[in-house]
């Protein structure tokens, strides 16, 4: 499988619990993005990495959210003390820059979080 | 104000109809992506384009850089085309997404 892989695909948890999602990007891609998508909406930016450096974080990323990409390969997104409002699809995407400067983007299948 | 605006939000068509979905954006871009998302499914990239026109089977995407506008056309639509179509623009470092157009094609 040479695509972007996300695990788990679906997580059901009780309010207050911590959850962690993992994303394995395409190996040649140096950029990795996390997005959140709720029903009927387009993806909302959370954060992105270039290699292991976290270059940008959205205001949506409260202090309960943390993302890491320790070796510049896979990434984890952790949500602490989950709230019902955190229920959403968490999408990971990876990209590389072509020689013409275009950013080629590939999405994973997403991790759906349901907080009860 | 959203950086990317799509229209229409919802679209219902009869099988065989020609469909157009529009996307306007307000930022300078390096490329524009058309994405397809089936219910409960992941997002699949249909096109990435920075100028002109691209065609894959029954799908055609066009972009006018000067007018900051792109269209996605589906010819001879089929029920399996039913999905959400999302326009996304890349600015080099970041991507901005439209809210999507939900297409339903009725047999």
């Amino acid at each position: 499988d040479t695509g972007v892989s996300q695990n788990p695909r679906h997580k059901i948890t009780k309010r207050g619990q911590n959850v962690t999602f993992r994303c394995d990007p395409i190996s040649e891609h140096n950029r990795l993005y996390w997005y959140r998508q709720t029903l009927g909406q387009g993806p909302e930016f959370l954060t992105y990495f270039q290699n292991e450096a976290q270059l940008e974080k959205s205001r949506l990323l409260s202090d309960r959210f943390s993302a890491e990409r320790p070796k510049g390969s896979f990434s984890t997104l952790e949500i602490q003390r989950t709230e019902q409002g955190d229920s959403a699809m968490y999408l990971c995407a990876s990209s590389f820059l072509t020689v013409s400067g275009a950013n080629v983007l590939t999405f994973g299948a997403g991790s759906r979080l349901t907080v009860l | 104000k959203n950086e990317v605006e799509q229209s229409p939000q919802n679209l219902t068509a009869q099988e065989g109809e020609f469909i157009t979905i529009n996307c306007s954006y307000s930022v300078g871009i390096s490329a524009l992506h058309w994405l397809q998302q089936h219910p409960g499914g992941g997002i699949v990239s249909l096109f990435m384009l920075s100028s002109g026109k691209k065609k894959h089977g029954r799908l055609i995407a066009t972009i006018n850089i000067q007018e900051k506008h792109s269209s996605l056309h589906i010819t001879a639509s089929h029920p399996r085309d039913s999905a959400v179509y999302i326009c996304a623009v890349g600015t080099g470092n970041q991507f901005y997404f439209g809210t999507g157009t939900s297409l339903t094609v009725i047999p």
Side-chain angles (χ1 to χ4, degrees), chain B residues 7 11-12 17-18 22 25-26 28 34 39 44 46 59 61-62 65 70-71 78 83 90 92 96 103 107:
Chain B
S7 63
L11 182 57
T12 301
E17 284 187 9
F18 180 83
N22 295 299
Y25 54 92
S26 58
W34 280 104
V44 174
L46 298 174
L59 301 177
T62 63
I65 297 294
S70 175
S71 293
H78 189 276
Y96 299 94
L103 171 65

Side-chain angles (χ1 to χ4, degrees), chain A residues 87-105:
Chain A
S87 296
M89 177 76 85
Y90 290 86
L91 295 165
C92 176
S94 67
S95 76
F96 72 97
L97 283 179
T98 67
V99 293
S100 62
N103 209 347
V104 181
L105 187 65

Side-chain angles (χ1 to χ4, degrees), chain A residues 34-86:
Chain A
W34 284 100
Y35 292 92
R36 182 175 71 185
Q37 187 179 27
T38 52
L39 194 64
Q41 298 297 315
E44 296 173 295
F45 170 74
L46 293 178
T47 188
Y48 99 93
F49 294 84
Q50 179 150 317
N51 301 314
E52 66 275 9
Q54 188 173 19
L55 294 187
E56 191 172 339
K57 291 195 292 186
S58 163
R59 289 171 297 154
L60 292 173
L61 216 65
S62 76
D63 57 4
R64 297 185 298 106
F65 288 71
S66 62
E68 294 182 340
R69 195 183 183 197
K71 298 181 181 178
S73 56
F74 74 91
S75 175
T76 57
L77 176 68
E78 181 182 16
I79 309 173
Q80 296 181 323
R81 305 181 304 280
T82 52
E83 302 172 356
Q84 287 183 321
D86 298 331

Side-chain angles (χ1 to χ4, degrees), chain A residues 31 33 35 37 42 45 103, chain B residues 33 37 92-95 97-98:
Chain A
R31 291 183 172 182
Y33 303 80
Y35 292 92
Q37 187 179 27
F45 170 74
N103 209 347
Chain B
H33 302 252
Q37 187 173 33
N93 288 333
Q94 184 50 276
F95 290 91
F97 293 82

Side-chain angles (χ1 to χ4, degrees), chain A residues 12-26:
Chain A
I12 301 172
T13 191
K14 292 183 179 179
R15 188 178 55 185
Q17 298 295 305
N18 299 343
V19 296
T20 299
F21 300 114
R22 175 176 169 132
C23 173
D24 288 272
I26 294 173

